[in-house]
Amino acid sequence: MLLRALASCRHITRQLDQSLCATAEIYIQPTRHKMSKKPRLRKPQEFGDKSKWQKTDPKASVKVKKVRELSEEYLNRRVVDDVWIKKQYPPRYHIFTVGEAIDMHREMAQPSMLDNQDGLVYMDMELNMRTAKKTKFLREVSGTIMLPHRFETGQQTRIIAFTKSAEDQQKALDMGAVMAGGKDLIKQVGTKMVTTDDIDILVCTVDIYEELQSLRSVLKGLFPRKSAGNIGPDMEVLMDHFLNSIKYQSTKAAEELGKLQIVIGRLNMPTEHIEENVAEYVKTISAQRSPTIETFIKKAAIICPPSTERFLLKTSEYTEPSQKPEESTAVEEEGKKPNTDSEMNKESVAL
């Protein structure tokens, strides 16, 4: 009896389980696995020198080197021998005048050495291109100059002359112009039969200036201007000026730094003539600087290819004072008598 009762109970529970599984919905709730250990915190990344990983701008300004302090012992050193190491002596022993630099280049140009006794002498300059505004700089320093003492540069200047007069056209051709003409030459330039690559300098007389206006967009920088001096009434004077003058143009090393190389003479010229040419260059170039800049020529050196020697010049001799506006200051003298009636009344009241 007991066995039958147990069997019947199992049968009933089995039927109940089947009925519950058929009718009821089973929900399984996911449980998140909890870490037994706490997560390890990482040390933040540290950057030392930013210049190692930051991108550098190629147009960025040149970094100015810090000037090292010179000891008294270094400044008091004296040169004893004819040959010495530059680094071991103060700067006054390797900064020269124009005459000293020319004499040393002549020693190297002897026939037993470079054999370059009539070589061209150049002056390399670094220019301060800053202006009164901190964000504005000079684009370039350029122009033409007539030196007081002329010499052969070995360069041929291609000049085209525009004038209506047949006589002036013949004068220009006789003096060395590549082409000379009037309206016909204007048409050739307008149709690009003559391109700007064939022209170094363009000169014109006043009578044809209005007809040249149609070529302004074609000629661009070559178009005649009064400031450039390539327009005037006398063709002979124009040709003489540009045939015997020298053209110069600076390049940009940085926004605030320009470089300019100019030819100043030949080694077989008298030293005084070369010095006067340098003075004329400095006077002409300094006129294009900003009036608020004190030192326009930052560095200058004399070179004479094929020699690799560079002799630095004393730039202080070629630095003109800045043209800053003078502030008017009124200095009152002691015991000065009052001029106006109001001042006299004030003194009487005070007494």
Side-chain angles (χ1 to χ4, degrees), residues 58-75:
K59 296 181 180 179
S61 59
V62 180
K63 293 182 178 179
V64 180
K65 294 182 179 179
K66 293 183 179 179
V67 180
R68 62 186 181 92
E69 294 183 0
L70 304 178
S71 63
E72 189 175 352
E73 185 270 334
Y74 172 78
L75 294 172

Side-chain angles (χ1 to χ4, degrees), residues 68-117:
R68 62 186 181 92
E69 294 183 0
L70 304 178
S71 63
E72 189 175 352
E73 185 270 334
Y74 172 78
L75 294 172
N76 292 330
R77 289 180 184 176
R78 298 289 183 270
V79 174
V80 180
D81 300 325
D82 295 336
V83 181
W84 67 90
I85 300 173
K86 284 184 178 181
K87 293 181 180 180
Q88 296 182 1
Y89 293 90
R92 65 175 176 272
Y93 288 109
H94 48 85
I95 298 178
F96 310 95
T97 62
V98 175
E100 292 171 345
I102 295 297
D103 290 340
M104 285 185 286
H105 276 301
R106 284 172 179 160
E107 292 178 3
M108 290 290 295
Q110 296 300 319
S112 58
M113 299 186 75
L114 294 177
D115 194 13
N116 187 34
Q117 293 176 316

Side-chain angles (χ1 to χ4, degrees), residues 156-160 176-178 196-202:
Q156 185 179 3
T157 306
R158 298 170 299 175
I159 301 177
I160 290 184
V178 179
T196 53
D197 295 335
D198 305 324
I199 308 171
D200 291 328
I201 296 171
L202 186 148

Side-chain angles (χ1 to χ4, degrees), residues 98 121-125 260-264 278-279 281-282 297 299-303 313 315 318:
V98 175
V121 184
Y122 296 87
M123 184 175 176
D124 268 352
M125 291 189 288
L260 178 63
Q261 186 179 90
I262 51 178
V263 57
I264 58 175
V278 170
Y281 262 122
V282 172
I297 301 175
K299 188 184 291 186
I302 298 292
I303 61 173
L313 297 180
T315 54
Y318 307 103

